[in-house]
Amino acid sequence: MRRPLTCQLSMYPDYLHQEMGLDFSEPFHTDPVYRNQKWKEVVRWVRQRFGRWGCGAEDPPDAYSVTTLDSVHFTAYLFGSKVSYWSDRFPDTHDYPLNGLRDLRFFRRSMTQAEARIQLVVDEARRLVDRFGPEKVVIPYYAAEDIVMCDLEITHCPLTISYRLLGERLLLEMYDNPEGLEHLFSEVLLLLLELGERFREVVGRRRPKGACVGACASCFLGPDLFRQYLLPRVIEFAAGRPLLFHACGNVNSLFKVFEEMAAKSQVKYSEQGLRQQLI
């Protein structure tokens, strides 16, 4: 029996800015009500352009998102980075807030602005829930549906996130201070798990049935370093759940490690790029 073709579109801000004039400046990212209105316009526009492939909708539901930042930039923001906005690009962080630490082994979250900024975002989530109801609030680190799997807890891996915290120093720490870097990775993973739990408490949801990890900087690593730094943390985040795993860039040397990961967790779908990409 033939299965219908499923089409999923991914559009970058520059395309939407050019084709429909959507402005991605700061108000789009900091005002959930304004963002909901504009995003519904996008969904209707996509329906007009690509509706023949089942994309978009005439009457999209309301969805008030707590933040537009992915886990890489969101974590950098929590640790002190300033967020930059443009009219035709995704927001960015560029301060490397932990680069000035002398020894990563002594890093503590309390040394940063993280707790205060976490509270601000959690409070914003509560205000949205009180105003619109939990079913209309989109929380970070969660996807109700993906083209491959449904009900996912989502994050980038600690390596990708830590690159935004340390910059190129991260590569040196792998050899000069592996104990300190592993400590930082563990702290980042703990933060991600705690954040997911706090946001789910606000909207009254249980932990998702599946996990999704993006290892977008894994092309930096060879098999030994991947086993040391990433493999244990990917498995810990998955926690025995079905796993959707993504790694972009030239990761041909890591295929054996991916097989080991599949043997130690329930990898349901793995996606790898073929060409080298940097963060």
Side-chain angles (χ1 to χ4, degrees), residues 70 72-73 92-93 96 156-165 167 170-171 215-220 248 276-279:
D70 62 24
V72 174
H73 296 294
D92 194 10
T93 55
Y96 304 134
H156 284 84
C157 69
L159 173 71
T160 312
I161 292 172
S162 296
Y163 185 87
R164 280 293 173 182
L165 304 178
L170 178 143
L171 304 176
C216 299
S218 54
C219 56
F220 288 160
C248 55
Q276 190 80 7
Q277 298 176 0
L278 300 180
I279 298 175

Side-chain angles (χ1 to χ4, degrees), residues 168-179:
E168 295 178 356
R169 175 182 168 185
L170 178 143
L171 304 176
L172 300 176
E173 295 285 342
M174 287 183 181
Y175 297 95
D176 296 339
N177 188 11
E179 181 183 348

